[in-house]
Amino acid sequence: LFETLSKELEGSNKKFVIRDGKPTEVTDADIVVGDVMQFNAHMLASIPADGIFISGDNVKIDESALTGEPEPMEKTREAPYILSGTEVKSGSGTMLVVAVGKLSTSGKIKAKVYGGEVEDEQSPLFKKLDTMAMQIGKLGGVVAVICFVINCIVGFGMGTVEKGGEFAAVVEYCMTAITVLVVAIPEGLPLAVTLALAFSSFKMMDQMNLVKHLDAC
């Protein structure tokens, strides 16, 4: 019953858009990026997609559901951004649709709240860790090359390598450089960070703070 009512409601929510230069009536689910959508404070008050204000008269939109702002926000060309999930309180106008569905503001919020599939986005902490690991790896590569060059200079330039053993010496120098590179790569860093975040989550739990994601600690 609930699914049936939801489908009937979705089918009744229609908007007038200009697509390919022609006025068209479509449902909220059929609106696509690039449509010029009409809205007003009466029959077309709900905003189903993100867009940019094009023209209108005394347009004020209630964004309290998203931003918590109690007063309706006036939309002009100086403040053109219109977010999905908001409601037109006064005026009428047109907007250029720039994001729909899961890529819109309300779609991202719903996906986060209800566990929908969204693009995996790394937290700032793990982005910094990836950057640091990359820098350490590059530094290890440079040190490995330096060690190989120094060994070659010492071995061949100073004559410490016996005749006939040049190939074996080069192999040994390469193995030494590879060892330096392997040791420089921080393989245990993700595990150490995970353990530290888990410990932090237990500490926050003692303070009656529940943590849904470890990287939020």
Side-chain angles (χ1 to χ4, degrees), residues 55-67:
S55 62
D57 180 34
N58 191 29
V59 176
K60 292 185 179 181
I61 295 181
D62 180 12
E63 298 181 349
S64 59
L66 299 179
T67 64

Side-chain angles (χ1 to χ4, degrees), residues 111-115 201 209-217:
K112 292 288 186 181
V113 173
Y114 298 109
S201 67
N209 294 320
L210 298 179
V211 179
K212 186 176 181 181
H213 299 283
L214 281 179
D215 54 7
C217 296

Side-chain angles (χ1 to χ4, degrees), residues 64-93:
S64 59
L66 299 179
T67 64
E69 179 63 39
E71 297 296 330
M73 303 297 294
E74 184 176 2
K75 296 300 176 180
T76 61
R77 292 188 177 181
E78 287 72 28
Y81 299 107
I82 300 176
L83 304 178
S84 58
T86 57
E87 186 175 353
V88 181
K89 288 300 182 181
S90 67
S92 62

Side-chain angles (χ1 to χ4, degrees), residues 3 16 156 178:
E3 293 181 357
F16 291 98
F156 297 102
I178 293 174

Side-chain angles (χ1 to χ4, degrees), residues 62-133:
D62 180 12
E63 298 181 349
S64 59
L66 299 179
T67 64
E69 179 63 39
E71 297 296 330
M73 303 297 294
E74 184 176 2
K75 296 300 176 180
T76 61
R77 292 188 177 181
E78 287 72 28
Y81 299 107
I82 300 176
L83 304 178
S84 58
T86 57
E87 186 175 353
V88 181
K89 288 300 182 181
S90 67
S92 62
T94 57
M95 57 175 271
L96 175 65
V97 177
V98 296
V100 297
K102 294 181 179 180
L103 298 180
S104 65
T105 302
S106 63
K108 291 179 181 179
I109 294 175
K110 289 179 181 178
K112 292 288 186 181
V113 173
Y114 298 109
E117 296 182 359
V118 293
E119 296 181 358
D120 294 332
E121 296 183 0
Q122 286 186 322
S123 65
L125 172 62
F126 282 97
K127 287 182 180 179
K128 291 180 180 179
L129 288 175
D130 287 344
T131 302
M132 184 177 70

